[in-house]
Structure formats: C-alpha cells, structure tokens
C-alpha cells in the first residue's frame, strides 16, 4: 500500500481493511486520518449510496469492513443536527466530503456539569471539505450539525468496532438515554424498500403454496 499521493475510493476501502484488520488498540489514529485525507472525493463514488430525507440526517451503510468497522455515508439537509451523543467505546473518524460541519464537544456529565445540571460545552469548531476529524469517548461527547441553511452536507464516517446502540444526552438536564442505531439504507438500497420487497416475496410464497 502506497504511503503518499492521492487515492481513489476503491483504494480507500482496501487500505481501511488493512488498517482495521486487528484489534481496536492497534489502530493508529493519526495514520488513519492522514490516509482518509488522501482520498480525492468524486461525487460518482457516493451516488449509489446517497439517500436523503429533508427532515433529518440519514445513515447509509456503505461497507461492513469484515466486521471490524462500519463505513457510513451521512447526508445532512440544511440546518440539521445530531443529538449530543457518545460513541459506545469505539473509534469515530469523520471525513467531510461536501459542505461544512459544525462540531460541538461537551464534557461527560459525571466529570463536570453546570450549576443547573446542564452539560458543559468544551469546544466548537468547523470542519470543512477534505478534513478528517476524530472522536472517541475519551475525548468527551459531541454533536455534529450542518449549520448552513443554504447548502447540504455529506460526510463519511467510520466506526470501529461497529456498534448497534449508543447514548444520547439532553443538553439542559444531562439526562442520558440509550438508543438503538439504525440505517436509512444499506449498500444503496433503502431499508423500507427492502422490507416491502421481502413482504411481497413472502406473500407470493403463501399464495403459491
């Protein structure tokens, strides 16, 4: 695997499979960030996977990484934000493809909280196209948002190990709620379409039996 120069989407996937072939503790965070940054974004690479909902951001599974990671395309309409959340003790890499993300980090409520019980903000920054941000539970909690009211946002997220649930936090009360994670689409096909197709096949089998 080459250590310098631009890479394609196919080369990105091949490299990530190598980077995440071992256990969580062996992941070289800065090397993964640098590798992500070498990817030259081509809109055609995500055309199949980009599924939008005008009222919320969508999580679109692109690759399962031999069960070592999930690579997810997130599509953010104008003005949409995630809840404040943790990362279930996993690595989180976020490469911005198009648009600009606003990331706000918070302290864990068990470490520090305001007098009224609300979460304490740690930092805020903008992450632009071509930049790969890193987040983990050791660094606190965060929220990601598309702060623009005129432009959409597309971001590529890698989570390792993959996880099926995480905790979200109420900014005003610090209350924690565990939620299940779901995908809007998998491998370019919307999940509701899959369910309908499965139901149709099952119905056809019943009728023909």
């Amino acid at each position: 695997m080459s250590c310098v120069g631009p890479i394609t989407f196919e080369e990105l996937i091949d490299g990530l499979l190598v980077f995440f072939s071992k256990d969580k503790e062996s992941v070289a965070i800065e090397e993964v960030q640098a590798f992500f940054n070498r990817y030259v974004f081509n809109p055609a690479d995500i055309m199949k996977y980009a599924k939008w909902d005008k009222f919320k951001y969508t999580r679109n599974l692109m690759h399962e990484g031999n069960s070592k990671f999930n690579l997810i395309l997130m599509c953010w309409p104008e003005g949409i934000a995630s809840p404040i959340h943790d990362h279930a003790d996993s690595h989180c890499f976020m490469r911005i493809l198009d648009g600009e993300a606003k990331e706000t980090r918070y302290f864990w409520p068990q470490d520090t909280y305001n007098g009224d019980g609300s979460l304490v903000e740690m930092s805020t920054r903008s992450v632009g196209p071509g930049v790969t941000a890193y987040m983990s539970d050791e660094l606190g909690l965060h929220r990601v948002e598309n702060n623009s009211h005129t432009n959409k946002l597309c971001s590529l997220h890698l989570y390792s190990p993959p996880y099926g649930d995480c905790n979200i936090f109420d900014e005003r009360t610090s209350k924690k709620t565990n939620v299940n994670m779901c995908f809007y689409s998998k491998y370019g096909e919307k999940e509701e379409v899959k369910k309908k197709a499965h139901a149709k096949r099952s119905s056809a089998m019943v009728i023909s039996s």
Side-chain angles (χ1 to χ4, degrees):
M1 183 170 62
S2 173
C3 296
V4 294
I7 57 174
T8 65
F9 184 71
E10 290 74 19
E11 291 170 324
L12 174 66
I13 296 296
D14 289 344
L16 293 175
L17 289 170
V18 174
F19 276 115
F20 294 92
S21 60
K22 299 178 182 179
D23 57 19
K24 176 190 171 187
E25 286 67 32
S26 68
V27 174
I29 295 169
E30 292 183 357
E31 290 183 22
V32 174
Q33 284 181 284
F35 187 69
F36 257 116
N37 289 341
R38 289 171 55 197
Y39 165 55
V40 179
F41 173 54
N42 180 350
D45 293 337
I46 66 168
M47 188 177 299
K48 172 183 175 181
Y49 307 98
K51 310 297 181 186
W52 295 85
D53 186 307
K54 64 180 179 180
F55 299 112
K56 62 184 180 182
Y57 68 93
T58 61
R59 304 175 75 249
N60 305 285
L61 181 65
M62 302 177 76
H63 201 288
E64 287 188 307
N66 292 335
S67 300
K68 295 289 188 179
F69 65 82
N70 278 344
L71 187 66
I72 302 170
L73 177 69
M74 293 198 184
C75 298
W76 310 74
E78 299 85 341
I80 295 295
S82 75
I84 299 168
H85 59 279
D86 66 15
H87 291 89
D89 201 30
S90 290
H91 295 292
C92 168
F93 295 88
M94 177 179 71
R95 162 67 193 268
I96 304 302
L97 301 178
D98 189 35
E100 186 170 274
K102 177 184 177 183
E103 181 196 30
T104 305
R105 295 189 178 184
Y106 298 84
F107 290 97
W108 283 91
Q110 62 264 36
D111 293 336
T112 185
Y113 55 87
N114 291 314
D116 60 0
S118 61
L119 293 174
V120 177
E121 185 177 311
M122 184 189 305
S123 63
T124 300
R125 63 169 174 165
S126 294
V127 186
V131 177
T132 303
Y134 173 78
M135 187 60 179
S136 70
D137 288 347
E138 288 75 16
L139 300 176
L141 310 171
H142 81 164
R143 172 171 58 205
V144 176
E145 59 187 298
N146 179 5
N147 211 31
S148 173
H149 292 281
T150 56
N151 298 313
K152 293 180 178 179
L153 167 66
C154 271
S155 51
L156 194 59
H157 298 242
L158 183 146
Y159 300 103
S160 179
Y163 57 90
D165 66 283
C166 73
N167 296 306
I168 61 173
F169 295 79
D170 187 302
E171 184 175 5
R172 296 171 300 170
T173 66
S174 299
K175 180 183 177 182
K176 177 175 71 174
T177 304
N178 186 258
V179 296
N180 291 323
M181 313 300 292
C182 60
F183 295 113
Y184 192 77
S185 72
K186 290 183 178 181
Y187 317 117
E189 187 174 354
K190 287 182 66 174
E191 283 295 272
E192 62 184 50
V193 173
K194 285 184 179 180
K195 291 175 183 176
K196 288 179 181 177
H198 177 73
K200 189 173 182 179
R201 285 195 299 269
S202 298
S203 176
M205 290 173 66
V206 171
I207 292 172
S208 61
S209 62

